[in-house]
Amino acid sequence: MVSRAFRLPRSASLQSSHRSLLFSEELRRQQAQVARVEKIRVQLNRKGPDGPETKTLLMNRGVSTPYNCAMHISEWLSKRSVVALINDRPYHMLRPLHADCSLSFLNFAGERLEEVNKAYWRSCAFILGAVLESAFKDEFAVALLRAPDVPVISGAFCYDVILDQKLDNWKPSEAQFQALTRRAFALLGKNLPFEHLSLHPNLALQMFQENRYKQEQIEEIASQQEEVTVYRLGDFVDLVEGPLIPYSGLCFQFAVTAVHPLKGKDSASEASSATSETSTFPAGYDFHRFQGLSLPVYQRAHHVIWHKLVKRATSLVLESRGNSDHAAQPQCSDSPRTPVLPSSP
Amino acid sequence: MTSLCVFLRASRSAVCSRLLACGTRSYSNRPLDSTWWDEHLSEENNLFMRKIVPMEHQELLQGRLNPLRDEPWPLHPWNEGSVRVGLIAVKLGMLPIWSTTGERHAVTLLQVQDCHVMEYISKERGKTDKDVLVVGGRTVSPFSRSADQLEKFRRAGVPPKEKLSMFKVSDNAILKPGTPLYAAHFRPGFYVDVTAKTIGKGFQGVMKRWGFSGQPASHGHTKTHRRPGAIGTSGVARVWPGKKMPGMMGNIYRTARGLKVWRVNTKQNLLYIHGSVPGHKNCLVKVSDTLIFPRRSANSNPPFPTFFEDGEEELPEELYADDLFQMSSPSLIPEEEVEGK
């Protein structure tokens, strides 16, 4: 039942630069389509010093991003905002606007923290994926599977990866986890933007031609939507659903904490709760779940608290079946300001 | 100490530490983007941390009483010339005591709180002529210690300590890191040296600092009543290095030597030490066997290398020196009547 028959792909660095090249070409093509700059009206709602206020900004269609709108107000707003709300729906900060809309900003200490938490966790998983693709030597095949959607409260973000058979019994040491963490910090230190791109599914399939698991996911998305969303950080391009944070420099503390080998569909359905929903684990693949922990620059933890959280992030995180943010944890419904520590023993 | 020592100590770091000790809350080494530990924690998490940290410390301390005794390091008997480890204690205050001959003395009360051996530095590693044991006293919050320091405490298996002191010990007196030290390490009748930082007086003038006599208050002395007066002779035509002058007074380490232990309470870990001891109430002091030669014979046959709570020795709660008058005993003992008087 376990199928491991994928051909040895090109080295990870070649793959990612191929994807990045296609990304740049498509981005240039889409930008060239904006021949004549048209104006759109953006209604910016924010809480000013004298209470809630509305400003109308005249921005450029297809060119201006919510980040540019924030720049018109203040640097503080542009640096602090994590996710934009366009017509009350979460929107990536560096994604161009195409029509008249209402805009507001979410940061780490305001309202609608679930959206902020999700975006942050997704971005951290993205960074973990970027690290994993380039971390292994060329002789070991690495195929990125997906970043499962886990809530912040579960204690760690994950990225599922299918590793070479030679690494079946690999138990990384402390030093090896630190090496992975150091690679992540190299990305964070450069403070790179998360660039957004909406693609036609065919182009997306071409981009991920080396990775048939990603191709399966693209086909699944394409059956429901017209376009496929990809993001790029530096050289690494990946499929993501939902907005990410604007810049990698927003992550302050980062650690790759654990790796758990997991079985494919059959044993996964035993592990997860007994519901009739289709299992989100891919059929028949044995994969490794890498887990990590991160805290943003505006919510830094003291090293004592950080070590406690890291210890918790080593235990296996499984996706819950229901609504991810209100999974079976009896936590207070007010959004926590930081990942909540486990309740007292 | 001599004025030469004061001059040598007048380096920048010493001055900074004295200034900081005089009540300022500025932390000159702290990075600008640092934060306090509960800045971004919710109320719930704050309470959780406040509860869990002392609980974890208690577990570490209780762990000493578990039935599984791990391999202790080999114990050697005491001999003339052995040097034992000392303790770190907290100065609680002073009280009067009376000797059996009716003399009143003042004693300082020291309590040994959470004292453990932290580390053993052999002569080869430390490149010295004697083995060194690092001892820690009184548990402190982990939030005030850096990650590297906490790692050291974790390796010793004890909660983080407020003060660490080094004791030079002889070869037969080394202890395993993590060994707890108790007040019964000293017995009544022993003599100890107590080292601590003296109470800081701040920047003081020459009369208070060096005991100069100043000048008269009246009879024509203009604006000169507490000044040092002349600071040199015309011969040398300069000021001698180390000249006694106004400056920072106190907040320096001093040792009171040859102090008798009058009484030991084994349950509360209290030591009743003769006389006064440098430092303010609730400060941490370093207590060790005395180096004063005439008193060393009183320290013979001590608990060696230290007192072990789970050992064979069963001690009563209070131990008194022979010449300490115990208030429970009668003060006048009637002499027996001689027959035929």
Side-chain angles (χ1 to χ4, degrees), chain B residues 187-191 260 290 293-302:
Chain B
R187 297 295 158 85
F190 280 25
Y191 284 82
K260 178 169 165 176
T290 192
F293 192 74
R295 297 282 182 231
R296 286 221 229 125
S297 54
N299 293 354
S300 36
N301 289 317

Side-chain angles (χ1 to χ4, degrees), chain B residues 4 44 54 80 90 96 100 114 131 140 146 154 169 201 211 214 229 238 266 276 289 311-312 317 320-321 336:
Chain B
L4 186 61
E44 203 184 10
E80 200 69 50
V90 178
T100 45
D114 297 339
D131 292 324
V140 83
S146 72
R154 213 174 292 136
V169 295
K201 312 276 179 192
R238 63 186 179 105
T266 51
S276 60
D289 290 323
E312 302 89 31
E317 187 182 333
Y320 300 96
E336 282 167 15

Side-chain angles (χ1 to χ4, degrees), chain B residues 260-275:
Chain B
K260 178 169 165 176
V261 179
W262 282 99
R263 178 174 159 184
V264 176
N265 182 314
T266 51
K267 193 163 151 213
Q268 304 285 348
N269 273 322
L270 296 171
L271 293 166
Y272 291 66
I273 307 285
H274 186 87

Side-chain angles (χ1 to χ4, degrees), chain B residues 84-89 110-113 115 180-190 192 261 263-273 287 289 301-311 313-319:
Chain B
R84 310 189 286 170
V85 81
L87 307 169
I88 294 179
L110 301 181
Q111 184 174 40
V112 181
Q113 293 178 6
C115 191
L181 300 169
Y182 301 100
H185 181 81
F186 298 110
R187 297 295 158 85
F190 280 25
V192 295
V261 179
R263 178 174 159 184
V264 176
N265 182 314
T266 51
K267 193 163 151 213
Q268 304 285 348
N269 273 322
L270 296 171
L271 293 166
Y272 291 66
I273 307 285
V287 190
D289 290 323
N301 289 317
F304 196 80
T306 186
F307 169 72
F308 292 104
E309 203 178 43
D310 48 3
E313 216 182 343
E314 267 299 322
L315 286 180
E317 187 182 333
E318 297 277 1
L319 298 164

Side-chain angles (χ1 to χ4, degrees), chain A residues 30 35 62 65 69 80 95 97 102 109 111 120 139-140 166 205 228 250 261 273 276 279 305 313 321 334 340 343:
Chain A
Q30 286 186 8
T65 62
C69 299
R80 283 244 156 180
R95 180 179 172 185
L97 299 165
S102 74
E111 300 143 358
Y120 187 74
E139 64 222 40
F140 298 108
K166 294 179 234 165
L205 286 168
V228 169
L250 267 179
S273 55
S276 56
S279 167
I305 295 171
R321 290 289 149 251
D334 320 328
V340 174
S343 44

Side-chain angles (χ1 to χ4, degrees), chain B residues 15 146 155 228:
Chain B
V15 168
S146 72
R155 250 182 266 144

Side-chain angles (χ1 to χ4, degrees), chain A residues 298 300 302-303 305 308 338, chain B residues 33 40 56 143 145 147 150:
Chain A
Y298 301 113
R300 287 173 292 179
H302 191 272
H303 60 82
I305 295 171
K308 270 203 169 5
T338 44
Chain B
D33 60 348
H40 299 296
E56 284 174 353
F143 298 113
R145 293 289 178 269
L150 289 184

